[in-house]
Amino acid sequence: MYLKVKRYFDFFTALFALIILSPLLIIIIVAIKLDSPGPIFFYQKRIGINKIHFNILKFRTMRIDTPKDTPTHLLENPDRWLTKNGAFLRKNSLDELPQLINILKGEMSFIGPRPSLWNQFDLISERDKYGANEIIPGLTGWAQINGRDELSVEDKAFLDGEYVKKMGPLMDIKCFLGTILSVIKKEGIVEGSITLGHENKEEISNKEQGKS
């Protein structure tokens, strides 16, 4: 029953957020187009419910000549690949706003295990142990407010499993409030030589492609 209510909440909240935030989204789109050549959005293959692949949507924050299929934290001087507005968008989690569309489509929820990259086989395997691949992934989740990139794959999967076991209104409220606190505090993680506000180290900075 709760999953049905949660889906309705996700859909209508995402729709309302897109309408309310439309002026901000337009400003970001214009800023990206004026900042550097290339598409507005960045598409990346992720693991969804029942390990079905889907394309997560983000605002582009890196140059189109960024080395392809190289993890951001393994890039030498990764800050040189960021666009002028990229660091600001990441630090303030604004590059994640297009994922409201993923939520509308039912590919994601506001709260749930953060969708892993398609080739994070170790994390996918660990999550299988806890049933964390059997629910809709989230924009944010229990692991994201309890260590994020400081966590090992095993600990991250365990926390995702803990969310699955305790999933309900109270757990989702805890994750939501914890995420707000994290964004306000601008808690960062280190990717190579730069500190960003939310981007996971396992995020691959593919040569960002898509339709402008």
Side-chain angles (χ1 to χ4, degrees):
M1 179 62 182
Y2 177 66
L3 291 178
K4 188 174 183 179
V5 172
K6 183 175 181 177
R7 174 58 190 147
Y8 280 122
F9 173 83
D10 285 340
F11 180 85
F12 288 108
T13 302
L15 181 60
F16 179 74
L18 282 170
I19 294 171
I20 294 298
L21 295 173
S22 57
L24 174 60
L25 298 176
I26 292 172
I27 291 172
I28 294 174
I29 288 171
V30 172
I32 291 172
K33 293 303 292 184
L34 293 177
D35 191 0
S36 68
I40 295 168
F41 299 112
F42 168 43
Y43 301 86
Q44 191 177 60
K45 188 190 297 184
R46 296 294 185 102
I47 298 296
I49 184 172
N50 297 322
K51 295 188 282 191
I52 296 173
H53 292 174
F54 75 99
N55 288 320
I56 201 170
L57 191 61
K58 297 186 179 187
F59 281 127
R60 183 173 61 85
T61 59
M62 304 189 81
R63 290 166 21 192
I64 58 174
D65 59 340
T66 301
K68 188 177 180 180
D69 296 327
T70 302
T72 305
H73 66 289
L74 294 182
L75 287 173
E76 183 178 354
N77 298 319
D79 47 333
R80 71 183 286 254
W81 301 108
L82 286 172
T83 61
K84 293 178 181 178
N85 296 318
F88 175 81
L89 292 176
R90 288 190 176 199
K91 185 177 182 181
N92 293 280
S93 301
L94 295 175
D95 63 316
E96 305 282 2
L97 288 178
Q99 286 163 51
L100 291 169
I101 296 174
N102 290 118
I103 294 174
L104 270 181
K105 294 169 64 178
E107 297 168 332
M108 291 178 62
S109 174
F110 277 102
I111 308 295
R114 186 67 183 161
S116 61
L117 290 163
W118 67 273
N119 57 357
Q120 284 183 280
F121 303 116
D122 52 351
L123 179 57
I124 295 168
S125 178
E126 282 295 316
R127 281 178 168 174
D128 275 337
K129 299 177 182 179
Y130 303 102
N133 290 317
E134 298 171 12
I135 64 172
I136 297 176
L139 186 63
T140 186
W142 190 235
Q144 277 60 52
I145 64 171
N146 284 284
R148 294 197 278 192
D149 286 352
E150 290 77 14
L151 298 170
S152 66
V153 168
E154 292 77 12
D155 288 340
K156 186 178 294 184
F158 175 81
L159 287 169
D160 289 333
E162 192 173 47
Y163 172 80
V164 173
K165 289 192 296 184
K166 299 179 180 180
M167 185 168 54
L170 182 59
M171 189 63 160
D172 281 356
I173 290 172
K174 285 182 179 180
C175 291
F176 178 73
L177 294 178
T179 299
I180 291 177
L181 181 61
S182 177
V183 171
I184 291 175
K185 292 171 66 178
K186 291 184 173 60
E187 294 174 340
I189 58 94
V190 177
E191 289 187 316
S193 64
I194 56 175
T195 300
L196 302 175
H198 72 285
E199 196 74 6
N200 295 328
K201 281 192 292 186
E202 69 266 15
E203 297 260 348
I204 290 181
S205 60
N206 294 327
K207 185 175 182 180
E208 297 177 296
Q209 299 175 341
K211 296 180 180 180
S212 58

